[in-house]
Amino acid sequence: MGPVLLLLPEEILLLILSYLDRQALGRLSQVCKKLRHYTSRDSVWRRIARRCLNTGFLQQGADMISVIPVKERVRVSQNWKYGRCERNVILKWKRNLMPWLQVDGDLLYLTQAEEIRAYQLHPNGSGLHRRPYAVLLGHQEDVCRFVVTNSHIISGGGDGKIALHKVHSSVSIQFSAHEQDVNCVDCHGGIIVSGSRDRTARVWSLSSAADAQCLHTIQTDDRVWSIAINPLLSGQLINCLGTEFKRGAGVLDVCYETPSILLSCGYDTYIRYWDLRTSTRRCVREWEEPHDSVLYCMQSDGNYMIATGSSYYGVVRLWDKRMNRCLQSFSLSCPTSSPVYSLRFTTSRLYAALATTLHLLDFTVSSHQFTTL
C-alpha cells in the first residue's frame, strides 16, 4: 500500500490523506519514513483539528496559530478532552485576594491588591519567573479588573478610578470614573467602557481619557459586574437580554465569541449562549454547573471548548459545546475552599487564579504517563 501511494502526485496524496481519521494516519505513519513525512503535514490534519477542542481554529475557519504543527495541536487537544495534564502551583501570596489575570504572549498579568504585576512566562511552559517583569500602579484600592490592548493596560479599581498604563512604559494616567467601585472595563478601537457598583456603565474615549471626558452614561437597574464591547455595533441600546430572570441571577462574566455570539455566566450557575442574530435575541442554549456553584469566570476557544471557574473548592470545568454535560473537572483548592476568580488558557496550558495561589494546568504531557484514557 505504501509504495503505491508514493507513486501519486504530492497534491493528490495529501488530499487523500486529509480524509483519513487520526488512528488511520497514525498507523500509516509507521509504514515508512516518507509516509511519516506526508502524514505529519499541516494540510493533512486541518480537517481533524477543526473538529477538536482548543486547537486554535475559530468558528469562521481561521487558524490563529502558525508556529505549532497542527498534528501536535491535535495531540494536545486529546489531553484536554480526556483531562490529561500536570498540575502545579506556580505562585503563592499570603493575603486572601480576588485576583484577575490576563495572558498576552509571553507575559502573564496578575492583580495583587492595588497592583498589576507582569510576569515573564518560561519558554518551555513550566511556569513563570517569580520576580515580576513590571509592576503597574495607579489605584489606592484593589484593582477589580483590567484589559490588555496593543498599546495600554486599562484597569478599574475599588477607588472608583480607571487607570491607563502604557505598555512597555512607566507612564500611567488615572481619572475618577464612577462614584463607587469600577467592577469591569473593556476597550476596543479607542473606546473604553466601564461598569460600576453605582449602577451605571460609562463610555470613554481613549484619546481623551487624560481629560476624563465621559462620552455617554448608561443607567442600569443594578450593579454592573461584567462588560464587553461588540466590535461591530454602535453605542446604542438594541435589546436587554435575560429580563425574565429572577433578581440575584446576576452575570459575573461575559464575552463575545463572534460579533453575533455572546456567552455569559454568573450567580445562577448557568453558562448561556446567546445568538444576537435572532429577532428575539434570546438564549439559544445553556449548560448548568453540576454542583450548583456560582460561576465567576469563563473563556472560550472560539470553537467548541469553554472553561469555567466556580465558587467552591477552586473547581475548573471544561465544556464541549456539542455535549450537554461537563467534559472534565479539576478541583484546585481541596481541602480548603476558594473560588476561581479568573482563568485564562492557551492551546496547551490553563492558568487559574484563586484567593492565595496561581495554578498551572499543563496539557502538553505525553499520554503514556497516564494509565487510562
Side-chain angles (χ1 to χ4, degrees):
M1 181 67 176
V4 176
L5 284 175
L6 293 174
L7 295 176
L8 295 172
E10 181 176 322
E11 295 80 4
I12 302 299
L13 175 58
L14 292 176
L15 178 62
I16 293 173
L17 295 178
S18 70
Y19 285 97
L20 300 181
D21 60 23
R22 187 169 53 88
Q23 291 77 12
L25 288 171
R27 289 192 292 267
L28 197 57
S29 69
Q30 299 174 15
V31 173
C32 64
K33 290 183 179 180
K34 284 190 176 181
L35 280 177
R36 175 173 294 183
H37 168 72
Y38 286 120
T39 55
S40 297
R41 298 279 287 273
D42 283 358
S43 59
V44 171
W45 288 89
R46 283 197 182 97
R47 186 179 63 87
I48 297 173
R50 289 192 178 100
R51 300 197 305 267
C52 292
L53 298 174
N54 195 28
T55 56
F57 287 88
L58 302 182
Q59 289 177 337
Q60 303 92 330
D63 182 3
M64 299 299 292
I65 299 171
S66 58
V67 178
I68 304 173
V70 179
K71 178 181 177 181
E72 173 64 13
R73 286 187 257 164
V74 171
R75 184 191 72 81
V76 174
S77 173
Q78 295 301 300
N79 290 341
W80 287 93
K81 179 179 179 179
Y82 294 110
R84 298 190 291 244
C85 65
E86 290 184 354
R87 310 185 199 183
N88 291 296
V89 175
I90 57 175
L91 201 63
K92 292 183 178 181
W93 49 91
K94 294 182 179 180
R95 288 191 293 167
N96 283 340
L97 301 174
M98 299 175 64
W100 189 254
L101 71 88
Q102 297 283 355
V103 176
D104 184 48
D106 61 349
L107 290 177
L108 182 144
Y109 295 90
L110 179 72
T111 61
Q112 295 283 267
E114 69 278 4
E115 302 176 349
I116 301 174
R117 298 181 183 179
Y119 294 91
Q120 194 89 36
L121 295 172
H122 290 155
N124 62 2
S126 60
L128 46 74
H129 296 278
R130 295 301 179 93
R131 177 172 292 184
Y133 170 80
V135 177
L136 307 176
L137 303 172
H139 294 278
Q140 281 71 52
E141 296 186 29
D142 288 3
V143 178
C144 297
R145 291 198 183 182
F146 66 93
V147 62
V148 180
T149 70
N150 292 332
S151 59
H152 290 81
I153 296 100
I154 301 157
S155 60
D159 52 7
K161 292 184 178 180
I162 292 176
L164 286 79
H165 316 274
K166 197 167 183 61
V167 173
H168 306 306
S169 171
S170 59
V171 177
S172 64
I173 299 170
Q174 307 87 33
F175 60 90
S176 296
H178 290 269
E179 296 176 1
Q180 297 184 40
D181 305 26
V182 180
N183 291 326
C184 49
V185 291
D186 196 12
C187 180
H188 181 80
I191 296 296
I192 301 171
V193 293
S194 59
S196 172
R197 292 178 65 93
D198 65 8
R199 302 188 178 190
T200 65
R202 290 181 175 170
V203 183
W204 313 82
S205 171
L206 182 58
S207 59
S208 64
D211 301 325
Q213 295 179 359
C214 178
L215 302 179
H216 189 58
T217 298
I218 303 170
Q219 298 291 334
T220 62
D221 295 329
D222 204 346
R223 296 163 292 180
V224 182
W225 292 106
S226 185
I227 203 160
I229 298 177
N230 186 322
L232 297 186
L233 295 181
S234 61
Q236 65 181 104
L237 180 63
I238 294 179
N239 201 354
C240 293
L241 304 177
T243 55
E244 72 276 12
F245 298 125
K246 295 180 180 179
R247 187 173 181 84
V251 173
L252 292 178
D253 203 4
V254 61
C255 67
Y256 281 97
E257 281 196 330
T258 71
S260 58
I261 300 299
L262 183 72
L263 290 170
S264 66
C265 68
Y267 281 112
D268 66 353
T269 77
Y270 280 88
I271 307 167
R272 288 192 165 86
Y273 179 100
W274 307 84
D275 189 344
L276 304 184
R277 293 169 296 187
T278 62
S279 58
T280 56
R281 294 185 174 87
R282 287 191 172 185
C283 172
V284 296
R285 192 159 184 197
E286 58 187 25
W287 298 268
E288 184 178 10
E289 211 286 331
H291 290 167
D292 201 32
S293 298
V294 174
L295 296 176
Y296 273 75
C297 55
M298 66 179 175
Q299 185 186 349
S300 166
D301 70 345
N303 199 26
Y304 297 119
M305 193 181 84
I306 303 170
T308 58
S310 62
S311 57
Y312 294 120
Y313 297 106
V315 174
V316 170
R317 297 193 190 276
L318 305 182
W319 307 78
D320 187 335
K321 289 191 290 187
R322 297 165 293 188
M323 300 171 59
N324 294 324
R325 295 183 178 181
C326 166
L327 180 66
Q328 296 292 338
S329 64
F330 309 89
S331 182
L332 304 180
S333 67
C334 289
T336 60
S337 181
S338 165
V340 178
Y341 289 110
S342 180
L343 61 79
R344 285 295 179 267
F345 62 79
T346 64
T347 55
S348 54
R349 296 172 181 90
L350 184 145
Y351 303 89
L354 279 65
T356 59
T357 51
L358 176 65
H359 293 254
L360 167 64
L361 277 61
D362 187 347
F363 291 86
T364 62
V365 295
S366 300
S367 58
H368 71 264
Q369 297 176 237
F370 297 85
T371 56
T372 61
L373 294 181

